Amino acid sequence: MLQVCEKLKVSERQACKALEQARTTQRRSLSPPSDEKQLTNDITALATKYGRYGYRRITAMLKDMGWQVNHKRVERIWRREGLKVPKKQPKRGRLWLNDGSCIRLRPEHKDHVWSYDFMIDRTADGRGFRILNIIDEYTRECLAIVVKRNIKSQDVIDLLFHLFIFRGIPEHIRSDNGPEFTAKAVREYLSRLGTKALFIEPGSPWENGYIEPFNGKLRDELLM
């Protein structure tokens, strides 16, 4: 306003009167909230640790930490600090082929297609453990998570048996070509129940496009 007044050679009083604006609006200096610095530090720390998260997810984490803050304030600080909202990765064109492969099948209703997959990590003492995740591709619901030092094909059958009793039997179940999934006992068990096993191409995890993102989020939130 001051620069405009000088350029037009009018006083601040005259300019405010012409604009029907109170003069106090030109003299008030905004001061940031007292917790702005600490909030900014916490946002930056979370964004650094969880590089794939956007400001909305960071807002939820801040609330879990005890902050009473909405996503608009977090977004303002996020952009002011030059933090980047992660862009969604485009879906790979190979997800839906027309050559009869398993990845052509899209889930159409609840319990139409399930997916299961393993994750591997280590405890603080360096010993490895495995996590078996099972999801419903249509509802994106996690049906089971099993954590053990070692999971064999019989463990897979036992878990499926439990789910089939309490959830029902899916029409298809998708997986990679791990020995626990391709084992003869597992394939025969599924065949007897009328569930068709769908195996992705070896070395092509993007073809299992529902459970892989779930695994990534689980690792980000629980294993980092």
Side-chain angles (χ1 to χ4, degrees), residues 1-217:
M1 173 67 80
L2 181 60
Q3 294 177 348
V4 174
C5 291
E6 292 177 349
K7 188 173 182 179
L8 297 178
K9 297 182 179 181
V10 296
S11 66
E12 182 185 278
R13 184 188 301 274
Q14 291 172 321
C16 288
K17 184 177 180 180
L19 296 173
E20 297 183 352
Q21 188 179 72
R23 293 176 64 192
T24 55
T25 61
Q26 304 304 317
R27 298 182 180 181
R28 180 186 176 191
S29 58
L30 297 176
S31 57
S34 59
D35 59 355
E36 185 84 353
K37 183 177 181 180
Q38 184 59 50
L39 178 59
T40 301
N41 291 339
D42 287 350
I43 291 173
T44 303
L46 289 173
T48 301
K49 184 176 181 180
Y50 302 98
R52 297 195 298 175
Y53 288 3
Y55 66 86
R56 292 182 183 274
R57 206 158 180 190
I58 294 296
T59 302
M61 299 182 72
L62 289 169
K63 290 180 178 179
D64 291 340
M65 294 169 57
W67 282 97
Q68 299 295 323
V69 63
N70 61 30
H71 71 276
K72 293 182 180 180
R73 185 181 177 192
V74 175
E75 181 184 11
R76 176 178 57 79
I77 296 174
W78 185 278
R79 298 189 183 283
R80 185 191 68 200
E81 296 299 312
L83 302 173
K84 299 295 184 181
V85 178
K87 294 183 179 179
K88 291 184 178 180
Q89 296 296 319
K91 292 183 178 179
R92 294 178 180 264
R94 294 186 60 189
L95 278 178
W96 313 118
L97 298 182
N98 295 314
D99 59 0
S101 66
C102 74
I103 58 174
R104 178 185 177 188
L105 182 65
R106 302 190 191 199
E108 298 177 354
H109 54 77
K110 177 182 175 183
D111 297 327
H112 181 208
V113 184
W114 290 4
S115 287
Y116 53 1
D117 193 20
F118 281 106
M119 298 174 60
I120 301 175
D121 211 319
R122 295 183 180 276
T123 49
D125 59 3
R127 298 177 60 197
F129 65 90
R130 308 185 77 188
I131 303 175
L132 174 59
N133 300 320
I134 302 182
I135 68 169
D136 184 313
E137 290 190 357
Y138 184 80
T139 63
R140 310 297 177 89
E141 176 185 1
C142 177
L143 305 179
I145 297 178
V146 175
V147 182
K148 295 179 67 175
R149 292 291 182 186
N150 190 22
I151 300 178
K152 300 180 180 180
S153 58
Q154 186 58 48
D155 297 316
V156 175
I157 294 176
D158 292 342
L159 177 58
L160 292 176
F161 175 77
H162 176 81
L163 286 175
F164 290 169
I165 290 177
F166 291 98
R167 170 82 179 198
I169 301 175
E171 297 179 33
H172 308 270
I173 188 162
R174 196 188 321 262
S175 71
D176 58 24
N177 293 269
E180 300 84 1
F181 303 138
T182 59
K184 183 178 179 181
V186 174
R187 290 186 285 109
E188 289 182 347
Y189 176 70
L190 294 175
S191 179
R192 288 198 304 270
L193 296 175
T195 298
K196 183 178 180 181
L198 305 175
F199 299 105
I200 67 173
E201 288 296 320
S204 304
W206 57 84
E207 294 182 358
N208 209 356
Y210 290 92
I211 200 164
E212 289 295 339
F214 176 84
N215 290 347
K217 292 177 181 177

